[in-house]
Each structure stands twice: as structure tokens, then as C-alpha cells.
Amino acid sequence: MSTPILYLQNVTIYQEKNPVLTNVNLEVNRGEFIYLIGKTGSGKSSFLKTLYADLPLTDGVGNIVEYDLKALKENDIPYLRRKLGVVFQDFKLLPDRNVKENLLFVLKATGWTVKEEMDVKIDEVLDKVGMKNYQTKMPHQLSGGEQQRIAIARALLNDPELILADEPTGNLDPQTSVEVMEVLRKINENGKTILMATHDYALLLKYPSKTLKFDEGKVFEVVQRTV
């Protein structure tokens, strides 16, 4: 029996000392694709921030990609984050650098030093998101969907075990959302585990998968009805 990639038991998640989620129990196995749904303010972003150690875990048991979140030390955080890929709603690309330079920045910041290896890796991740010919483009020259594809490529640079996507289609039109979703599903089919917070219920219908609802401080699995 393989170890879960994420395990939470009796976890309380705080935002500025206020509990936003209580008694969270969750087990995520490798290769799963899980939606996180719930209205704004229901705790989805705080939940994800706790997983990538932007918020500390103080109550309960939490293990993610073989790191104990409760015992995590400050100097462990960069190593944890190398095993996670995080995709944000607002892309977070550096506006003064082209696509390749954005990706190089991340590789150098996470310890890569050999130019040839970095070039190969950048080609590889851009190929996975269909953006291999966009390396010299500046972010402002890209559409929202293209920027999000680059952001997904960036999340793949260190071959993460788990991808955390916080409203990755939130700023995109419906057609572009579907295109980005196709990229994420393909990455999942190749073995990556993905947790994706979303408000886009059309995507849930088009791409049904395990769904966790955040509501009134609780997290529970939603059973999707088939028509």
C-alpha cells in the first residue's frame, strides 16, 4: 500500500489566528485529480497556503510529499516547495522578462546551475503545455490563456509530486478555460497529482472528478450525480 501524497487528520486551519476550517480529515493518493469548491471566503486559498507552508500548521496532523507540516522548519520550506507545483489565478509572471527568462529565474532560484540542463528542461515543460515556440515572448504579448500555460509550465520545472492550482481558470473566458483544463488533465493522466480550487462548475460537469466542498468551516466530499 503506497503512502498517501497528502494526509491530514483533525487539522484546523487559521487565517490571522481565526480558524477558517476545523476538523479537516483528508487522504490524497498519488495520481488523483481533486476539485476544491466553495464560495469566496470558504477557506480554499487558506487550505492551499497551508499545504505549501505560506500559513503554518499548528493543530492536527499534516503530511505532504513526505514532509511533516507541523514540524516544518523555515529552512525546509524551499525544499518542500520544490516538490510542489503551484499555479495561481493571476499567473504571477515577471513582466520585465520573457518566457524563457521567467523559467530560468525559477530554475536558478531552486539550485539549477548547468545551462544545457536548464535549456533542455525549459523545452520539455513548454512542450508539455504547447508553448515551445514562445520562449522569447514577453508576458504582455501573451493572451491570458497563454500566460496560464506558461504558469503551468513553470509549476512543472522541478518535476513536482503534487500540483496545487488556485483558481487557474478564474481570469479566463470559457473556451480558454477548457483549453487550460485540457492541459491539466493531460498532466494528470501522465501521473501527476492535482488539487484544483475552482468556481467554474461547468468544468466539473465537463471533466467530472473527485470533489471536496468547503462550507461553513468544514471540508467534505461531494458525490457527483450522473444523469
Side-chain angles (χ1 to χ4, degrees):
M1 186 74 182
S2 64
T3 310
I5 199 164
L6 170 63
Y7 175 78
L8 303 175
Q9 185 178 37
N10 300 328
V11 164
T12 297
I13 289 172
Y14 295 89
Q15 183 72 272
E16 295 177 352
K17 298 185 179 177
N18 299 312
V20 291
L21 296 168
T22 58
N23 197 32
V24 178
N25 295 285
L26 178 61
E27 201 168 291
V28 176
N29 295 310
R30 292 176 191 277
E32 287 196 278
F33 190 113
I34 300 177
Y35 292 112
L36 315 177
I37 64 170
K39 60 181 185 284
T40 302
S42 60
K44 301 187 301 297
S45 289
S46 296
F47 174 79
L48 291 174
K49 284 179 177 178
T50 302
L51 299 187
Y52 61 81
D54 202 37
L55 293 174
L57 179 67
T58 55
D59 292 6
V61 176
N63 286 287
I64 183 167
V65 294
E66 299 173 358
Y67 278 86
D68 182 341
L69 285 170
K70 205 168 172 184
L72 202 64
K73 295 180 172 60
E74 191 73 29
N75 55 6
D76 291 330
I77 292 174
Y79 297 99
L80 163 66
R81 289 180 181 169
R82 283 182 209 179
K83 298 177 82 170
L84 302 174
V86 185
V87 181
F88 300 96
Q89 178 176 344
D90 56 356
F91 321 135
K92 296 195 184 298
L93 298 176
L94 300 168
D96 60 339
R97 301 168 199 234
N98 66 26
V99 166
K100 183 172 183 177
E101 289 163 347
N102 263 275
L103 301 183
L104 275 173
F105 177 82
V106 174
L107 288 175
K108 289 175 180 176
T110 52
W112 292 61
T113 55
V114 180
K115 180 184 182 300
E116 292 77 13
E117 291 177 0
M118 291 191 279
D119 288 346
V120 168
K121 191 62 176 180
I122 287 170
D123 281 351
E124 177 191 310
V125 296
L126 288 176
D127 194 37
K128 283 181 179 174
V129 300
M131 296 290 287
K132 196 171 179 180
N133 297 325
Y134 289 72
Q135 297 196 21
T136 59
K137 296 278 190 184
M138 299 297 285
H140 72 266
Q141 296 175 302
L142 303 174
S143 68
E146 288 167 344
Q147 289 190 63
Q148 193 58 289
R149 284 170 181 254
I150 300 301
I152 293 168
R154 181 184 56 199
L156 294 172
L157 282 171
N158 283 301
D159 199 25
E161 296 181 35
L162 174 61
I163 294 172
L164 307 174
D166 193 359
E167 299 281 355
T169 63
N171 288 337
L172 306 177
D173 63 73
Q175 178 56 38
T176 308
S177 295
V178 167
E179 292 169 7
V180 167
M181 193 67 194
E182 290 281 359
V183 171
L184 289 170
R185 295 297 298 188
K186 187 175 173 186
I187 289 165
N188 173 245
E189 285 164 10
N190 287 328
K192 296 293 182 196
T193 313
I194 299 179
L195 296 185
M196 174 177 158
T198 186
H199 280 111
D200 193 340
Y201 293 101
L203 289 180
L204 272 72
L205 294 172
K206 188 172 177 63
Y207 303 96
S209 194
K210 182 175 177 179
T211 302
L212 300 175
K213 185 168 186 182
F214 290 61
D215 189 36
E216 296 184 350
K218 302 294 181 189
V219 180
F220 51 91
E221 188 173 347
V222 177
V223 179
Q224 293 192 343
R225 295 178 178 83
T226 52
V227 179

